Amino acid sequence: MTAEKYVREVGKLLKCRTAKKREIKKQLLEEINSAVGKGQSLDEVLGRMGIPWDFANHYNDWFDKEEKKAAKREKTWKVWGIILSFLLIIAIAAYWKLPKFSDIGESSVFDETQVRAQAEEIIRFYSEDNFHSVTECMDENMKTVINAATLQYMKTQVSEDFGELVSFDEMDTAEAVQDGKKYAMVQVQVSYENVSVFYTITFDEELKLAGFYIK
């Protein structure tokens, strides 16, 4: 064991404040180096001092109650500092994951007219049970989780018979940024002969379908 490692091990076991630990470690290292410098072997010096646990406990016995309390408070604050830092990292990560919305009319990526037209076309495909055409509009990630059969099942869960498409209500559009990627989002209520359906549609930057939800 080197002198530096011995001193570090003693320092870990000291029940005092950081500043005092630093002072003791500095003094201890100087004493070891001084003894070695006078011709004693390092093993002889460390053997006389004993194992780090015993040597540290000699110091710990000398510390008064106030010093030990101060050390405990300092340790508590360090633990809370680590916990709070960890929570802050989680909060930042969660914030990054959450979508941030803005006016699509001010977007540098999306043309609002094209977004509205694409959304209307997909809804018309869906209304006509043309599920294959809807899947052709999807991005690659979407295609791995939703197919024509899934789209048909989603539709039957809302109603077995939509009837003919009657009208579109006003579309709400927005640009969303999530994980550094930009998306166009459309929400619109569509009236059919037998039911009213609320659509939420998401497009990636290439106007490929990245999200499709109905209720």
Side-chain angles (χ1 to χ4, degrees):
M1 180 181 293
T2 64
E4 289 77 10
K5 185 175 181 181
Y6 183 88
V7 170
R8 281 198 302 270
E9 291 299 318
V10 171
K12 292 176 184 177
L13 299 166
L14 292 173
K15 297 178 180 178
C16 60
R17 291 167 295 171
T18 301
K20 196 165 189 68
K21 280 185 182 182
R22 216 166 14 239
E23 179 185 332
I24 293 172
K25 286 165 64 179
K26 180 181 178 182
Q27 181 182 351
L28 180 57
L29 186 59
E30 288 175 352
E31 289 176 359
I32 294 173
N33 288 334
S34 175
V36 172
K38 292 177 180 178
Q40 299 179 47
S41 70
L42 179 59
D43 288 342
E44 182 184 354
V45 175
L46 298 184
R48 188 170 60 249
M49 290 181 170
I51 62 173
W53 173 268
D54 289 337
F55 193 87
N57 280 335
H58 288 312
Y59 272 100
N60 291 334
D61 290 340
W62 296 342
F63 297 141
D64 57 27
K65 291 182 179 179
E66 289 304 315
E67 180 63 37
K68 291 180 179 179
K69 285 182 180 178
K72 191 173 182 179
R73 284 196 301 270
E74 184 182 75
K75 185 176 182 180
T76 300
W77 279 111
K78 283 183 179 179
V79 171
W80 275 108
I82 293 170
I83 292 172
L84 291 174
S85 297
F86 181 68
L87 292 176
L88 180 61
I89 291 170
I90 292 176
I92 292 171
Y95 175 78
W96 180 250
K97 287 290 184 182
L98 289 173
K100 289 82 177 174
F101 297 98
S102 60
D103 185 350
I104 200 169
E106 299 176 359
S107 173
S108 61
V109 175
F110 298 106
D111 179 282
E112 186 174 8
T113 301
Q114 290 181 353
V115 170
R116 290 175 180 271
Q118 182 75 341
E120 184 173 329
E121 181 176 47
I122 287 172
I123 291 171
R124 290 190 183 278
F125 284 151
Y126 195 70
S127 302
E128 296 165 0
D129 293 343
N130 190 353
F131 304 122
H132 179 69
S133 293
V134 177
T135 60
E136 287 185 335
C137 296
M138 295 177 179
D139 67 13
E140 294 306 312
N141 287 334
M142 191 83 167
K143 288 178 180 178
T144 62
V145 293
I146 295 182
N147 55 30
T150 308
L151 290 170
Q152 184 175 18
Y153 176 77
M154 289 168 59
K155 191 172 184 179
T156 60
Q157 293 304 294
V158 176
S159 175
E160 291 289 345
D161 183 13
F162 279 27
E164 294 296 319
L165 191 156
V166 177
S167 64
F168 288 82
D169 285 358
E170 181 64 29
M171 284 187 182
D172 293 323
T173 59
E175 181 182 84
V177 180
Q178 186 174 25
D179 289 342
K181 297 179 181 179
K182 293 184 177 182
Y183 300 91
M185 297 191 68
V186 177
Q187 290 187 322
V188 61
Q189 186 162 308
V190 180
S191 297
Y192 296 88
E193 287 179 322
N194 303 322
V195 69
S196 184
V197 180
F198 189 82
Y199 288 84
T200 299
I201 296 174
T202 306
F203 297 108
D204 66 12
E205 294 185 18
E206 297 178 354
L207 282 187
K208 290 290 187 179
L209 193 60
F212 186 80
Y213 175 75
I214 62 171
K215 67 176 181 178

